[in-house]
């Protein structure tokens, strides 16, 4: 594993007010209006903490989210709700799920097609939300995407295609079709002229962070959070920077695949520019195989994250196995390839003597209270089994 620090050269220049407690409460109220809402569990791994030599270890298990086995629906649903609210001249607090599906609102909106690019979880969330609201969804997936994830999106009624492109090029394809056909692009990647929806998606992830904050019996000293484009990482980092001020702010470490480490590369370069990773970005952590940072998320991370780690697939595989076969007394967590990366990184750091110096830099010790987010369950059951049962650690993409 490689570690780099954020210099925080622009700390406090970029506002994180859009991720404060007031906004998070509003987002949570929106999600609570869905009849299928249920708070996901925060799992306390006391035995694992004792083995690792830290005070406590918590993992938020998002495999229970809305019956979709991943957290991503939080961002897609809130962004779609916020888009509809803006279109109707309303505040999102006035637009509950019941109101969105009412004949009155549907009559005002007419037919809308939402389009996105995804490796699976985000696209399923967008397709699910569109179906719930009686609207349409078009989803493009990158080359090598899981057949199971494809079928899950298709089952939500979406028009879904696995392309011969990498993730970032699939995003460009979706955006070009949005422009051509008048569709609404729902993507957490942001660029000049496309800021509102990515910002709403980031805010949508705040429900997960707020739930965890309210569930924690003690404040975390460390948060390890995975990154693809950095939208989720920005959401969690920004929220906890808002609610835990000064010395109470947890030390935040971003975890990425070493073949798609765009946040790590940007932090390491420290030259004021975003650094992209191109090519196939082969990794079994499909949800993190993104080469172009979200500029909104990056601005939060640049000011408030502390470290970034680039790790190989075996680190995530270790997390999957350990969470899936826990120590006696700890609760089992079924965590997918992208979901287990942060937990795997914590275990790797604390269990291998060669990483003692890195632990010292991060401040991991016997007083540490660590929080991780398992952002998905086994969304590709065949691949999950091949990793956990058969010992596969190589890339699942070709």
């Amino acid at each position: 594993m490689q570690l780099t620090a954020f210099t925080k050269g622009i700390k406090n220049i970029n506002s994180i007010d859009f991720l404060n407690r007031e906004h998070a409460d509003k987002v949570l109220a929106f999600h609570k209006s869905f009849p299928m809402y249920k708070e996901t569990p925060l799992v306390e791994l006391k035995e694992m903490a004792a083995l690792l030599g830290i005070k406590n270890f918590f993992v938020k298990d998002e495999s229970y989210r809305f019956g979709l086995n991943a957290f991503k629906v939080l961002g897609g649903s809130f962004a779609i709700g916020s888009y509809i609210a803006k279109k109707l001249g309303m505040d999102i607090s006035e637009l509950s799920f019941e109101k969105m599906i009412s004949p009155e609102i549907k009559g005002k909106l007419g037919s809308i097609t939402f389009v996105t690019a995804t490796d699976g979880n985000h696209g399923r969330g967008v397709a699910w939300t569109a179906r719930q609201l009686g609207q349409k969804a078009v989803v493009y997936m990158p080359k090598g995407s899981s057949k199971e994830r494809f079928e899950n999106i298709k089952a939500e009624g979406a028009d879904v295609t696995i392309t011969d492109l990498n993730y970032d090029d699939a995003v460009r394809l979706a955006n070009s079709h949005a422009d051509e056909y008048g569709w609404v692009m729902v993507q957490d990647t942001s660029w000049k002229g496309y800021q509102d929806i990515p910002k709403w998606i980031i805010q949508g992830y705040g429900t997960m962070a707020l739930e965890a904050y309210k569930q924690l019996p003690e404040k975390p000293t460390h948060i390890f959070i995975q990154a693809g484009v950095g939208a989720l990482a920005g959401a969690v980092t920004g929220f906890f920077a808002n609610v835990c001020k000064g010395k109470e702010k947890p030390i935040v470490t971003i975890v990425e695949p070493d073949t798609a480490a765009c946040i790590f590369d940007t932090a390491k370069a420290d030259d004021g520019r975003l650094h992209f990773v191109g090519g196939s970005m082969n990794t079994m952590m499909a949800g993190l195989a993104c080469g172009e940072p979200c500029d909104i998320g990056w601005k939060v991370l640049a000011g408030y994250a502390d470290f970034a780690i680039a790790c190989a697939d075996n680190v995530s595989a270790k997390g999957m196995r350990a969470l899936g076969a826990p120590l006696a007394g700890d609760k089992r967590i079924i965590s997918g390839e992208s979901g287990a990366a942060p937990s795997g990184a914590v275990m790797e750091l604390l269990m291998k003597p060669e990483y003692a110096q890195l632990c010292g830099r991060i401040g991991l010790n016997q007083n540490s209270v660590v929080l991780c987010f398992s952002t998905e369950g086994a969304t590709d059951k065949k691949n999950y089994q091949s990793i956990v049962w058969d010992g596969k650690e190589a890339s699942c993409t070709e």
Side-chain angles (χ1 to χ4, degrees):
M1 293 194 295
Q2 300 179 69
L3 178 77
T4 192
F6 287 80
T7 62
K8 299 183 179 64
I10 57 171
K11 188 171 179 65
N12 297 326
I13 293 176
N14 295 304
S15 173
I16 55 171
D17 288 347
F18 74 104
L19 295 171
N20 64 22
R21 179 64 186 268
E22 180 182 355
H23 283 291
D25 283 333
K26 186 182 289 190
V27 174
L28 179 58
F30 171 80
H31 286 134
K32 279 186 172 181
S33 76
F34 285 69
M36 58 289 296
Y37 169 82
K38 186 177 181 181
E39 184 179 83
T40 58
L42 181 74
V43 180
E44 184 177 11
L45 300 175
K46 289 184 177 180
E47 300 304 320
M48 177 60 77
L51 177 68
L52 298 178
I54 57 177
K55 184 180 179 184
N56 221 330
F57 191 7
F58 297 93
V59 178
K60 178 76 164 161
D61 185 357
E62 287 296 297
S63 67
Y64 295 90
R65 184 66 67 186
F66 281 14
L68 298 175
N69 211 7
F71 84 105
K72 280 284 193 177
V73 66
L74 295 174
S77 62
F78 187 72
I80 288 173
S82 298
Y83 169 83
I84 291 172
K86 183 176 181 179
K87 189 176 179 69
L88 297 175
M90 302 169 64
D91 186 82
I92 189 66
S93 62
E94 306 172 80
L95 201 61
S96 66
F97 175 80
E98 288 300 322
K99 194 158 191 177
M100 283 194 295
I101 64 174
S102 68
E104 174 194 4
I105 294 297
K106 185 66 186 297
K108 290 180 180 178
L109 289 174
S111 180
I112 304 174
T113 297
F114 297 99
V115 61
T116 191
T118 181
D119 73 280
N121 295 333
H122 171 68
R124 188 181 186 186
V126 169
W128 178 87
T129 305
R131 183 172 66 84
Q132 295 293 324
L133 303 183
Q135 301 292 357
K136 299 176 182 178
V138 175
V139 179
Y140 297 104
M141 303 182 74
K143 179 181 178 182
S145 291
S146 158
K147 182 67 173 176
E148 181 178 347
R149 291 173 182 143
F150 171 91
E151 293 296 342
N152 285 336
I153 296 170
K154 188 176 180 181
E156 298 295 344
D159 178 357
V160 55
T161 304
I162 296 179
T163 70
D164 60 355
L165 307 170
N166 70 16
Y167 171 79
D168 299 295
D169 287 335
V171 170
R172 280 183 270 275
L173 175 65
N175 189 53
S176 68
H177 285 182
D179 291 340
E180 183 177 354
Y181 302 122
W183 297 341
V184 178
M185 181 80 167
V186 184
Q187 206 71 42
D188 58 4
T189 305
S190 58
W191 53 84
K192 185 176 181 181
Y194 185 73
Q195 298 282 310
D196 285 350
I197 286 178
K199 185 176 180 179
W200 292 330
I201 289 175
I202 292 172
Q203 287 181 312
Y205 297 153
T207 282
M208 183 180 71
L210 176 55
E211 284 180 0
Y213 177 72
K214 292 165 70 174
Q215 291 169 312
L216 283 162
E218 55 189 326
K219 290 182 179 178
T221 61
H222 294 75
I223 294 176
F224 285 74
I225 184 74
Q226 56 273 74
V229 299
L232 164 65
V236 171
T237 300
F239 172 79
F240 277 93
N242 270 297
V243 297
C244 300
K245 302 290 187 181
K247 293 182 179 179
E248 290 189 341
K249 187 193 85 67
I251 295 169
V252 177
T253 301
I254 311 305
V255 180
E256 296 174 286
D258 54 13
T259 56
C262 57
I263 301 297
F264 176 94
D265 288 350
T266 301
K268 185 175 182 179
D270 190 28
D271 59 4
R273 298 186 298 111
L274 296 178
H275 286 257
F276 295 176
V277 177
S280 58
M281 295 177 285
N282 286 341
T283 174
M284 72 181 195
M285 294 174 265
L288 309 182
C290 309
E292 300 181 16
C294 165
D295 64 344
I296 301 171
W298 167 253
K299 288 175 182 176
V300 176
L301 298 178
Y304 297 91
D306 299 283
F307 299 96
I309 284 176
C311 65
D313 282 355
N314 69 293
V315 172
S316 174
K318 182 172 189 171
M320 293 170 70
R321 294 174 191 134
L323 294 175
L327 296 168
D330 283 347
K331 182 180 177 182
R332 184 187 187 199
I333 299 172
I334 303 298
S335 187
E337 308 92 72
S338 299
S343 296
V346 173
M347 296 171 196
E348 190 83 348
L349 284 167
L350 288 164
M351 295 178 77
K352 291 194 173 180
E354 60 263 38
Y355 294 128
Q357 187 176 4
L358 296 189
C359 288
R361 287 184 65 191
I362 297 173
L364 283 173
N365 56 46
Q366 68 273 14
N367 298 314
S368 298
V369 177
V370 175
L371 171 63
C372 294
F373 293 84
S374 176
T375 50
E376 63 175 1
T379 57
D380 183 347
K381 295 181 182 65
K382 183 178 179 181
N383 198 55
Y384 180 88
Q385 182 174 313
S386 70
I387 296 165
V388 175
W389 288 16
D390 301 331
K392 174 184 173 183
E393 292 180 1
S395 167
C396 66
T397 56
E398 300 298 334

